[in-house]
Amino acid sequence: MYTAKGTLNRDAQLRQYSPLVKRLAHNLIARLPASVEVDDLIQVGMIGLTEALARFEPSQGVQFETFASQRIRGAMIDELRGGDWMSRGSRKSQKEIEEAVRLLEHKLHRPPMESEIAAELDMPLADYQELLAKVRGTQLVYLEDYAGGDDGDENFLDRHVAQEDENPEHILGDVRMRAALVEAIKNLPDREQYIMSMYYEHDMNLKEIAAVLGVTESRICQLHSQSIARLRARLRDH
């Protein structure tokens, strides 16, 4: 990691930690709409890694990977803030899907099939599946769902990604919410349970999950979005 002159070899460090950038980008991309390219996130993340290498001080008492992850993720979020990456129409479509799921679950007393959700939305199955891919930015927890607001005008990234005290992981730390989430996951269709387990418990990206299940990455994207819609519909009551 050092040059012949005894200085840190920056190129070697960038190569060593580039897999970290890719992992963070792939973890973030599943929460974003299809219009966001993972390569763009990786490129910005590499800039964040470069800044982390320049500013890291071992005396701070934290591991470099922890420090770098914050810088890399922050660089990606700053880049996303600069673009109109998620329209109000996409958020509206998300809520329409969730409402259709909620109504059908009360009516059928079971998780509705894709074809039934499509029918409830009054659209062909193929159009519904295409819509699922477009609203890939669905988050597991939207704070306004539990606080009463629904206008969607607030800064999405500030609410659900950037602010530590409003991060979904912190919300799920609540015992009641965690118990409700576990129960909701148990009620997902089997394939969707597998996807959620591989994604959230085993830290696999959509491409890896697709390879395991023998389907396309776009299909996993659709099922992931649908799973989140089912969970959010159930969590509204908690």
Side-chain angles (χ1 to χ4, degrees):
M1 298 293 288
Y2 289 84
T3 66
K5 295 182 179 180
T7 58
L8 285 172
N9 188 327
R10 189 59 50 83
D11 289 341
Q13 289 180 306
L14 288 172
R15 288 194 297 271
Q16 179 182 353
Y17 290 104
S18 62
L20 173 63
V21 175
K22 293 178 181 178
R23 184 169 74 248
L24 292 172
H26 280 286
N27 285 343
L28 185 58
I29 198 71
R31 297 170 173 84
L32 302 174
S35 59
V36 180
E37 296 288 342
V38 69
D39 287 344
D40 292 339
L41 290 182
I42 291 173
Q43 183 177 5
V44 173
M46 290 301 294
I47 296 174
L49 173 59
T50 301
E51 293 177 351
L53 288 168
R55 299 188 181 192
F56 179 67
E57 293 289 343
S59 60
Q60 293 175 338
V62 297
Q63 293 185 344
F64 175 73
E65 186 165 329
T66 301
F67 177 81
S69 294
Q70 294 174 343
R71 288 281 177 177
I72 294 165
R73 188 175 174 83
M76 294 176 182
I77 291 169
D78 286 343
E79 178 68 14
L80 291 169
R81 280 200 185 101
D84 184 15
W85 63 277
M86 191 173 189
S87 68
R88 180 180 295 188
S90 293
R91 289 195 288 271
K92 181 174 182 291
S93 295
Q94 290 172 8
K95 292 188 176 183
E96 288 175 349
I97 293 172
E98 292 156 18
E99 181 64 14
V101 169
R102 189 184 68 81
L103 292 173
L104 287 170
E105 286 193 344
H106 281 291
K107 178 181 178 180
L108 302 173
H109 304 290
R110 61 169 173 78
M113 297 184 294
E114 281 182 284
S115 57
E116 292 169 330
I117 300 172
E120 180 69 23
L121 292 169
D122 194 25
M123 63 176 61
L125 177 58
D127 290 352
Y128 169 62
Q129 291 174 336
E130 183 178 348
L131 182 62
L132 284 173
K134 289 180 178 179
V135 298
R136 188 171 64 186
T138 300
Q139 297 290 309
L140 186 56
V141 176
Y142 285 170
L143 296 183
E144 75 270 21
D145 289 341
Y146 310 107
D150 61 1
D151 57 12
D153 287 336
E154 298 177 49
N155 187 295
F156 183 90
L157 286 168
D158 283 339
R159 291 198 315 271
H160 310 300
V161 180
Q163 294 298 324
E164 197 67 18
D165 61 344
E166 295 182 345
N167 189 291
E169 293 179 359
H170 289 260
I171 299 298
L172 295 181
D174 178 82
V175 174
R176 182 166 172 263
M177 180 67 75
R178 186 184 297 275
L181 176 61
V182 169
E183 185 62 28
I185 290 175
K186 289 179 180 178
N187 286 282
L188 290 174
D190 289 344
R191 174 173 274 196
E192 293 180 29
Q193 283 192 47
Y194 296 148
I195 292 171
M196 298 299 282
S197 175
M198 285 186 277
Y199 185 77
Y200 290 103
E201 293 181 29
H202 301 287
D203 200 25
M204 297 171 65
N205 60 48
L206 301 186
K207 185 176 182 179
E208 293 169 336
I209 297 171
V212 170
L213 296 182
V215 297
T216 64
E217 185 176 351
S218 62
R219 180 57 177 155
I220 295 299
C221 175
Q222 293 169 1
L223 293 173
H224 179 268
S225 293
Q226 184 168 263
S227 299
I228 296 294
R230 294 186 196 274
L231 293 176
R232 281 173 43 76
R234 284 182 173 270
L235 290 174
R236 284 180 182 277
D237 297 328
H238 296 272

